[in-house]
Amino acid sequence: IAGITQAPTSQILAAGRRMTLRCTQDMRHNAMYWYRQDLGLGLRLIHYSNTAGTTGKGEVPDGYSVSRANTDDFPLTLASAVPSQTSVYFCASSQGYNQPQHFGDGTRLSIL
Amino acid sequence: GQNIDQPTEMTATEGAIVQINCTYQTSGFNGLFWYQQHAGEAPTFLSYNVLDGLEEKGRFSSFLSRSKGYSYLLLKELQMKDSASYLCAVRDLDYQLIWGAGTKLIIKP
């Protein structure tokens, strides 16, 4: 079934550790996005990529990095996790920047 | 700054009609989206408005007034499975989505 796969589904991580959240899509969408979702707040954009080889910063990029080596994969890395990064992380993709975004099932991350 | 306002929570009865409002103030406007999100799941796309007026899709309709910075999502013939959060998002001048915090809709029998 075509779609977006995120891994892991959930993770508990000690503060200071490095963590990479994986995101893979098989729809050949050009644009990909990483959001975090916290209770009482809307989805907030962390980083995005309009096409393979390019990335951009969203609303809350500090403490996170991304890469887009190919069309399908868009990993998100926390270089040194802090408790404020405890959240649900969603990866999304769209055919173009003016098309609806399709979301993965999310990664629930807890930083202790 | 950029702001999307939606009611935090609404309650409605099975079989009834409910209207969820969204007002926005953003740097530019390039379309408005509505998404549905069941608890613990990913958001799923419902509707898209870029021009003023009503877009109808089955039991769901979405309305836009760009001059008023206002949209609503209308859900008819409510079913228990419609219990979810409904997210309003506006595409801004940079073509990024600005998201509201969502409206939790509770359907009672």
Side-chain angles (χ1 to χ4, degrees), chain A residues 33 35 37 40-43 45 48 50 90 97-105 108, chain B residues 33 35 37 39-45 48 87 91 95-102:
Chain A
Y33 313 85
Y35 291 95
Q37 187 175 40
L41 298 177
L43 288 160
L45 183 65
Y48 66 93
N50 286 331
F90 285 103
Y97 57 77
N98 61 346
Q99 298 296 314
Q101 295 180 11
H102 301 268
F103 286 78
D105 288 337
R108 284 143 188 83
Chain B
F33 293 83
Y35 281 75
Q37 186 177 25
E41 297 183 7
T44 56
F45 169 70
Y48 173 63
L87 315 181
R91 180 173 283 128
Y95 288 90
Q96 298 303 334
L97 285 182
I98 308 301
W99 295 81

Side-chain angles (χ1 to χ4, degrees), chain B residues 1-74:
Chain B
Q2 310 209 82
N3 196 48
I4 310 282
D5 284 321
Q6 308 177 231
T8 302
E9 187 174 296
M10 299 181 70
T11 302
T13 304
E14 189 177 16
I17 299 172
V18 71
Q19 177 176 311
I20 302 173
N21 295 325
C22 171
T23 57
Y24 62 88
Q25 292 177 308
T26 56
S27 59
F29 178 85
N30 283 299
L32 185 144
F33 293 83
W34 284 96
Y35 281 75
Q36 180 189 60
Q37 186 177 25
H38 285 100
E41 297 183 7
T44 56
F45 169 70
L46 286 178
S47 69
Y48 173 63
N49 295 72
V50 66
L51 299 176
D52 291 351
L54 189 69
E55 293 283 340
E56 298 186 80
K57 191 183 293 185
R59 293 189 299 115
F60 293 6
S61 303
S62 56
F63 172 83
L64 174 67
S65 170
R66 288 172 294 170
S67 63
K68 295 182 179 178
Y70 168 70
S71 174
Y72 67 73
L73 181 69
L74 191 71

Side-chain angles (χ1 to χ4, degrees), chain A residues 10-64:
Chain A
S10 64
Q11 182 78 44
I12 299 173
L13 189 68
R17 297 297 296 268
R18 180 184 179 89
M19 176 74 189
T20 294
L21 308 185
R22 299 184 298 278
C23 175
T24 300
Q25 54 105 357
D26 61 4
M27 297 177 283
R28 308 301 293 173
H29 283 173
N30 289 318
M32 297 187 76
Y33 313 85
W34 274 106
Y35 291 95
R36 60 178 290 173
Q37 187 175 40
D38 302 291
L39 198 63
L41 298 177
L43 288 160
R44 290 183 291 170
L45 183 65
I46 304 171
H47 285 285
Y48 66 93
S49 169
N50 286 331
T51 189
T54 68
T55 63
K57 293 182 179 180
E59 178 187 357
V60 289
D62 293 344
Y64 306 94

